[in-house]
Amino acid sequence: MNILEKIKTNYSASMNEMTVAAYLEECKKNPKVYAKPAERILAAIGEPEMLDTRQDPVLSRIFSNKKIKVYPAFKDFYGMESTVEQIVSYFRHSAQGLEEKKQILYLMGPVGGGKSSLAEKLKHLMQQHPIYVLKAGEEVSPVFESPLGLFADYTEELEQEYNIPSRYVPGCMSPWASKRLREFGGDINKFKVIMLYPSIQEQIAISKTEPGDENNQDISTLVGKVDIRKLAEFQQSDPDAYSYTGGLCLANQGLLEFVEMFKAPIKVLNPLLTATQEKNYKGTEPIGAIPFDGIILAHSNESEWSKFLNDKKNEAFLDRIYKVQVPYCLRVSEEIKIYEKLIQESSLKKAPCAPKTIELLAEFSVMSRLKEPENSTIYSKMRVYNGETLRETDPNAKSIQEYRDDAGINEGMQGISTRFAFKILSRVFNFDSEEIAANPVHLLYVLEQEVIKMMLPPETETKYLHLIKSVLASKYAEFISDEIQKAYIESYSSYGQNIFDKYVIYADHWMQNNDFRDPDSGEIFDRSILNAELEKIEKPAGIANPKDFRAEVTNFTLRYKANHGGESPRWDSYEKIKNVIEKKIFTNTEDLLPVVSFTAKSNEEDEKKHMDFTRRMKDRGYTDKQIRILVDWFMRVRKTMG
């Protein structure tokens, strides 16, 4: 089926019409026909996948070995497991007929934290399952009311005959339906029932309300108002003179999104109280109660919430709110996924991005959101939050629970927004007039400039600039030094192998307390000479316990040879000795500068080595221009790297 046929099929499928009697028979067979909005949205969300975090060392540290629920419907909401679970719990409890069915679902969080995206997701999920709406002649109920509203006074009979629990029956029918019923002389069979799919576009059972000007906004944005064009034909109190265009009218049996709810005056919010508690509300004219059986979803930022919370007049309203905090993401790995998703949705997805660029931005964003820990560094805290173990590298690092307890429940409600971070990334990609590409050096520069432009409070600005200049720049200097050295070493892999082979032979003889005769020169090395030769390799890496280290490397080599038919291991196959050899090779970084720099080469050999180096850097994911920029930066900062 092509896209045009699909649209036509979906459109015609949503127009199924039946009699009230046929509808009731359908209800008897299929409870989904009269399902509440919370039940339909739960069905759209689907069953969670149970994730046993004990199977993953990173997740086990983050979630303390618990089993967590993961909802595929929210797979693009990275690092939001707790928030999503709270939202789903609201719908689950509401569907069970508990107190949540009378409460407003309120998302509170900082700007650019994902509140609007969550609201959009919930509206899209609401569109997946149909609703059944009353129809009279050619006219569909203007408030998309359930046909069960006709039986508001006959709930017991309805339950006995059709097994429809009384809690599914609206408390009243709409003034529109009441007028038609009178016109039909009480003959319910003259009504029809139509199946409709909720629609954001058509505003069928889904609507959006925003606060207007405080001076002129009134409750009509929620409850509708009289249509003055119809007053020539109907009395002002006639239901047909009323324009059912308010948010509550359009969102019946569905979802009403109220953006920045607490910016609206309290008088505008009052209809929400009766709509949630009594499942109906009054219009602006004396036309009778209008039914509402839907979900009210509101969101705003923390400052609006605090202002509303501290006003004693709002106590009744606060009691009707189910608050879910939507903090910023506090895990670097998840923040990276957010940026990668945003890049994939843009024309930048094919643009070159040097290694570490997105990771550095994610690290900056997350650190800006974290509360500064006591007796530990914010960088270590960020890594612990990301599920890393720092037992060997930072003895002062605390457990994830200690950091969380110290930070309190509001951590993640302040800092750099994802939206701001992506704007930074956009500028970095477009920083160079000759090449649309991103690299960490441009990122660090753009970040610094943008932080200064933001004119933040002095304390915050100082913190952010410290993160950029001291933490991120130094960590990146280590990383790019390692990258350049690796690309350089690969040109000299035989040199690394020679050092490794020599180290293993010397260490083995030293361990056995045997002299070693050099087969090339015939020179004899006694134990003290062997020790001196071994130390030349070990000292640059700061090996604290040479005896244990030598035994470890020797044993590793013997085991490897035994398992690989006598073949020696590669010098870089064992991380510990690999790091030692790298340090030995680069005790003096001046050795590699003539090769990696882009200055004119003094001889052909250096030129060839330079070409090999740039080729290997390109293999690692860098463009020609990025290699030049990053090498220049590395050469400028190398003196500060110790």
Side-chain angles (χ1 to χ4, degrees):
M1 191 187 292
N2 68 27
I3 189 168
L4 303 178
E5 289 167 344
K6 198 172 182 181
I7 291 169
K8 186 179 177 184
T9 305
N10 288 349
Y11 184 78
S12 56
S14 69
M15 302 303 287
N16 289 349
E17 194 174 294
M18 63 182 86
T19 63
V20 173
Y23 168 74
L24 291 173
E25 287 299 327
E26 195 65 31
C27 289
K28 203 172 183 178
K29 292 185 288 186
N30 183 7
K32 289 179 182 172
V33 173
Y34 55 81
K36 295 268 187 186
E39 293 172 73
R40 296 197 310 275
I41 208 163
L42 268 181
I45 291 169
E47 288 299 313
E49 295 171 358
M50 295 305 294
L51 183 63
D52 187 350
T53 62
R54 288 175 302 179
Q55 310 300 322
D56 184 314
V58 171
L59 294 178
S60 71
R61 286 190 282 270
I62 295 169
F63 295 104
S64 308
N65 285 325
K66 292 176 190 158
K67 285 185 179 178
I68 59 168
K69 292 175 180 173
V70 178
Y71 296 87
F74 293 94
K75 67 179 188 297
D76 290 340
F77 289 85
Y78 302 109
M80 276 200 187
E81 294 87 357
S82 170
T83 300
V84 167
E85 184 52 48
Q86 287 178 69
I87 291 170
V88 175
S89 292
Y90 165 83
F91 290 122
R92 192 182 296 118
H93 298 163
S94 179
Q96 291 167 347
L98 306 179
E99 186 58 31
E100 282 80 354
K101 72 176 182 178
K102 294 181 177 180
Q103 292 187 314
I104 294 165
L105 174 59
Y106 168 62
L107 308 179
M108 188 267 281
V111 293
K115 302 184 300 293
S116 298
S117 299
L118 280 167
E120 286 303 310
K121 184 68 184 178
L122 292 172
K123 287 193 291 185
H124 279 283
L125 288 166
M126 185 57 86
Q127 294 180 118
Q128 290 188 19
H129 291 279
I131 58 172
Y132 291 81
V133 177
L134 207 54
K135 186 179 180 187
E138 292 303 310
E139 201 180 350
V140 176
S141 167
V143 291
F144 306 113
E145 67 191 290
S146 164
L148 298 181
L150 296 171
F151 304 93
D153 298 327
Y154 303 93
T155 54
E156 285 183 21
E157 292 91 329
L158 203 61
E159 187 159 3
Q160 284 170 8
E161 287 185 47
Y162 296 100
N163 300 327
I164 301 169
S166 57
R167 69 186 182 91
Y168 286 95
V169 182
C172 64
M173 67 181 88
S174 72
W176 173 89
S178 186
K179 179 180 177 181
R180 267 68 189 163
L181 191 58
R182 282 196 305 275
E183 290 172 354
F184 295 158
D187 187 357
I188 282 176
N189 288 320
K190 289 191 176 176
F191 283 103
K192 291 281 186 288
V193 177
I194 187 170
M195 185 183 87
L196 293 173
Y197 275 86
S199 166
I200 298 169
Q201 185 65 35
E202 303 287 333
Q203 287 203 298
I204 297 171
I206 298 175
S207 70
K208 187 173 185 174
T209 299
E210 296 178 356
D213 185 335
E214 194 166 322
N215 299 318
N216 63 19
Q217 188 177 25
D218 59 29
I219 61 170
S220 65
T221 55
L222 285 173
V223 304
K225 58 188 175 184
V226 74
D227 186 344
I228 54 173
R229 293 169 301 178
K230 293 182 179 177
L231 290 178
E233 198 178 337
F234 302 103
Q235 286 186 357
Q236 194 163 335
S237 59
D238 192 303
D240 287 343
Y242 201 75
S243 174
Y244 300 89
T245 53
L248 288 168
C249 309
L250 299 170
N252 189 27
Q253 291 209 74
L255 189 146
L256 165 64
E257 180 190 4
F258 205 138
V259 182
E260 300 292 350
M261 181 172 78
F262 295 127
K263 284 184 179 172
I266 190 67
K267 63 173 183 173
V268 175
L269 301 179
N270 283 333
L272 300 179
L273 289 180
T274 50
T276 52
Q277 298 304 295
E278 297 161 28
K279 296 299 175 189
N280 64 66
Y281 54 94
K282 281 176 61 68
T284 55
E285 305 301 324
I287 58 167
I290 305 169
F292 178 77
D293 189 4
I295 292 156
I296 299 170
L297 168 66
H299 48 91
S300 73
N301 59 39
E302 195 173 2
S303 60
E304 296 293 338
W305 165 254
S306 300
K307 200 164 115 188
F308 193 84
L309 185 66
N310 294 325
D311 190 336
K312 290 288 181 192
K313 290 182 288 185
N314 301 330
E315 280 179 351
F317 204 89
L318 290 165
D319 197 40
R320 268 93 170 168
I321 285 173
Y322 181 98
K323 180 165 77 86
V324 175
Q325 288 202 171
V326 187
Y328 289 131
C329 178
L330 296 180
R331 277 153 56 201
V332 171
S333 58
E334 299 299 296
E335 187 76 6
I336 288 170
K337 289 176 190 172
I338 297 171
Y339 301 154
E340 286 174 343
K341 181 191 165 200
L342 293 169
I343 289 170
Q344 283 302 309
E345 291 168 355
S346 74
S347 62
L348 296 176
K349 69 178 179 181
K350 291 182 180 172
C353 184
K356 205 75 175 174
T357 311
I358 293 174
E359 192 179 329
L360 280 176
L361 179 59
E363 287 178 350
F364 173 71
S365 298
V366 169
M367 284 191 288
S368 77
R369 301 162 185 170
L370 295 176
K371 185 187 172 195
E372 198 81 41
E374 289 182 22
N375 306 320
S376 177
T377 67
I378 200 162
Y379 189 79
S380 288
K381 181 177 180 178
M382 172 202 74
R383 290 181 64 193
V384 169
Y385 271 31
N386 203 40
E388 296 178 49
T389 177
L390 306 184
R391 213 172 294 128
E392 292 177 12
T393 52
D394 182 0
N396 293 325
K398 300 176 187 174
S399 71
I400 194 164
Q401 199 54 53
E402 284 178 285
Y403 281 131
R404 282 177 183 158
D405 291 344
D406 176 57
I409 58 168
N410 286 329
E411 188 170 44
M413 301 298 278
Q414 293 175 325
I416 291 296
S417 76
T418 305
R419 199 176 293 146
F420 174 83
F422 193 59
K423 283 196 282 189
I424 293 284
L425 205 51
S426 308
R427 290 196 177 102
V428 173
F429 269 102
N430 292 284
F431 185 82
D432 195 310
S433 56
E434 295 171 31
E435 178 180 67
I436 294 179
N439 69 71
V441 170
H442 288 163
L443 172 73
L444 292 169
Y445 176 78
V446 170
L447 256 181
E448 187 181 335
Q449 297 307 307
E450 290 301 318
V451 164
I452 293 166
K453 276 187 210 167
M454 286 165 78
M455 297 181 72
L456 296 160
E459 191 182 326
T460 310
E461 183 178 297
T462 303
K463 175 188 172 180
Y464 288 0
L465 291 176
H466 169 74
L467 291 177
I468 297 163
K469 291 177 172 178
S470 301
V471 182
L472 294 180
S474 65
K475 295 294 176 188
Y476 184 64
E478 288 173 20
F479 174 82
I480 195 61
S481 168
D482 196 41
E483 285 281 272
I484 288 170
Q485 288 178 10
K486 282 173 185 170
Y488 175 82
I489 287 172
E490 282 175 20
S491 319
Y492 298 90
S493 58
S494 56
Y495 182 32
Q497 193 66 41
N498 287 341
I499 294 176
F500 175 78
D501 293 340
K502 192 189 294 180
Y503 183 88
V504 172
I505 292 168
Y506 288 177
D508 188 31
H509 280 76
W510 182 86
M511 299 282 293
Q512 304 295 331
N513 205 3
N514 292 333
D515 291 348
F516 170 70
R517 181 188 289 276
D518 188 316
D520 296 326
S521 64
E523 192 180 350
I524 293 176
F525 293 2
D526 63 19
R527 200 160 190 263
S528 62
I529 297 173
L530 285 172
N531 188 60
E533 290 297 317
L534 288 166
E535 282 183 349
K536 284 181 192 173
I537 300 170
E538 292 159 351
K539 278 192 171 170
I543 296 298
N545 195 331
K547 184 181 177 183
D548 289 351
F549 184 77
R550 291 167 191 177
E552 197 177 333
V553 175
T554 308
N555 288 336
F556 162 76
T557 308
L558 291 171
R559 280 196 310 273
Y560 187 96
K561 282 184 171 182
N563 294 329
H564 294 83
E567 186 185 327
S568 287
R570 271 177 56 89
W571 72 276
D572 55 0
S573 60
Y574 188 46
E575 192 70 25
K576 287 186 176 179
I577 188 67
K578 168 178 170 281
N579 292 337
V580 168
I581 291 170
E582 283 181 359
K583 291 280 194 310
K584 160 68 180 167
I585 294 174
F586 296 106
T587 42
N588 182 3
T589 54
E590 304 300 320
D591 293 351
L592 62 80
L593 296 183
V595 170
V596 303
S597 73
F598 282 79
T599 53
K601 300 291 172 268
S602 57
N603 56 58
E604 278 185 28
E605 188 188 350
D606 276 0
E607 184 63 43
K608 183 182 180 303
K609 287 176 186 174
H610 177 75
M611 297 293 283
D612 285 346
F613 163 75
T614 53
R615 178 172 55 77
R616 289 194 165 88
M617 283 292 280
K618 282 164 86 169
D619 290 343
R620 300 184 86 82
Y622 299 89
T623 67
D624 284 318
K625 183 138 197 193
Q626 286 171 346
I627 298 166
R628 185 180 286 267
I629 291 165
L630 300 180
V631 165
D632 286 350
W633 187 82
F634 162 73
M635 293 176 78
R636 282 200 308 276
V637 302
R638 74 184 191 279
K639 289 171 186 171
T640 65
M641 292 191 292

